[in-house]
Amino acid sequence: SDVCSSDLPVSADYQRAVDAIERDDLKTALREAQEGAEQGDPRAQRLYGYMLMNGKGTKADRAAGARWLRMAA
């Protein structure tokens, strides 16, 4: 068993979002994070909420971002 592993599922969408951020492709990252968030991945929900609140890849929407961050908590 890997000591660093987590019981939380990591969606492929979340990983694709992280990869897109590393390439500075925020539009793709936002889309992938949204897909993972809608599937219930808490990491994707946090990422999507952060991106919405801070206008990363989209116009800032603090209220929507806060809702996604609350869902991830």
Side-chain angles (χ1 to χ4, degrees):
S1 169
D2 183 19
V3 175
C4 295
S5 69
S6 171
D7 291 336
L8 295 174
V10 177
S11 67
D13 299 308
Y14 172 77
Q15 189 57 55
R16 284 192 296 267
V18 170
D19 293 344
I21 288 170
E22 290 173 356
R23 295 189 311 271
D24 284 330
D25 183 356
L26 295 181
K27 296 270 187 214
T28 298
L30 183 73
R31 184 181 66 246
E32 296 293 348
Q34 179 181 8
E35 289 175 13
E38 290 172 350
Q39 293 172 17
D41 181 337
R43 293 177 186 133
Q45 290 170 343
R46 276 193 298 277
L47 179 58
Y48 186 54
Y50 168 82
M51 292 184 79
L52 286 173
M53 287 191 75
N54 293 285
K56 303 292 184 186
T58 188
K59 183 179 175 193
D61 185 340
R62 295 185 66 77
R67 281 193 303 276
W68 282 106
L69 290 172
R70 280 194 299 277
M71 270 191 259

